[in-house]
Each structure stands twice: as structure tokens, then as C-alpha cells.
Amino acid sequence: MLPLITRTELLSRMEAGTVVVVDTMPVAYFEKEHLPESHNIPGFPYEQAAEFTDQLAPAVLPDKAAAIVVYCANTPCRNSEFVGRRLLELGYTNVRKYREGIEDWVANGLPTGSSS
């Protein structure tokens, strides 16, 4: 399991600009709603998560030492675990997971972005 980050710490790191946030939901979900300034690397379907990560990470995450937080829908969602583990395999050194995901973010009244 990836190391975790709390909502409070993630918000603080986002406000300070010291973290890169990666939404691991399918593209259509990402386009509808995502954490502000997050990037999309789909982790679903699960069997394609590594392929998507291999293709998109070099452009989205050029700095392998950057603080990266992956998230998906909620605690049971596994997308972020698949993408996060693959990032570690690719040599990224500072990857954490916001386990509660966008459902928790929205439930706590925090802002989101969309691509529409």
C-alpha cells in the first residue's frame, strides 16, 4: 500500500504549490470533475493502468523526485493504488495516496475543477 496523505495536508500542500496531484479516474470522470490543477493518468480499466501510466507519466510528471499525490473516487477505489505503484516502479520516489478521494473532497465543500 502507498503511503497516505490526509485531506488537510493535501490542501495545505496544494495551496503552497509543493505537490503535483494526479487524478486516476477514467478520462470522462476527470473531465467532469477533479481536484484543482490535477493531472489525469487513468487507472481504470485496471489491466491498462500500467500502460496508461507508462505513456502519460513522462509528460505529466517529468520530475521523478517531485511530491506526487494520486487519488480516485473513494476509499474502495483501486485506481490510485495501481497508478501509484506503477509510478514507484518507474522510479518516482515521493508518491502518496489521498485514499478518501474526490468524494471526501467534495463532501467537505472543497473546490473542484472541470474540463468543460
Side-chain angles (χ1 to χ4, degrees), residues 1-4 22 24 41-54 57 61 64 68-72 75-98:
M1 182 181 217
L2 295 170
L4 303 178
V22 176
T24 64
I41 299 178
F44 188 85
Y46 300 139
E47 60 275 1
Q48 291 182 275
E51 178 185 343
F52 291 145
T53 306
D54 292 353
L61 306 166
K64 290 191 175 185
I68 298 166
V69 172
V70 293
Y71 75 90
C72 53
T75 302
C77 183
R78 297 171 42 205
N79 301 3
S80 56
E81 191 69 29
F82 284 107
V83 172
R85 279 197 314 238
R86 184 62 183 163
L87 289 172
L88 292 173
E89 291 168 0
L90 293 172
Y92 291 86
T93 58
N94 189 1
V95 181
R96 295 167 73 186
K97 180 169 84 169
Y98 172 36

Side-chain angles (χ1 to χ4, degrees), residues 3-115:
L4 303 178
I5 188 169
T6 65
R7 176 183 3 92
T8 304
E9 184 181 354
L10 176 56
L11 180 59
S12 175
R13 301 284 308 268
M14 288 170 69
E15 288 172 343
T18 59
V19 67
V20 180
V21 181
V22 176
D23 180 302
T24 64
M25 299 294 289
V27 174
Y29 289 91
F30 173 78
E31 289 175 347
K32 182 179 176 190
E33 185 174 47
H34 52 263
L35 272 62
E37 299 184 35
S38 62
H39 303 278
N40 185 228
I41 299 178
F44 188 85
Y46 300 139
E47 60 275 1
Q48 291 182 275
E51 178 185 343
F52 291 145
T53 306
D54 292 353
Q55 290 173 355
L56 298 171
V60 173
L61 306 166
D63 181 359
K64 290 191 175 185
I68 298 166
V69 172
V70 293
Y71 75 90
C72 53
N74 50 35
T75 302
C77 183
R78 297 171 42 205
N79 301 3
S80 56
E81 191 69 29
F82 284 107
V83 172
R85 279 197 314 238
R86 184 62 183 163
L87 289 172
L88 292 173
E89 291 168 0
L90 293 172
Y92 291 86
T93 58
N94 189 1
V95 181
R96 295 167 73 186
K97 180 169 84 169
Y98 172 36
R99 176 177 50 194
E100 296 79 11
I102 195 163
E103 287 182 7
D104 174 71
W105 189 267
V106 170
N108 281 278
L110 295 169
T112 60
S114 71
S115 301

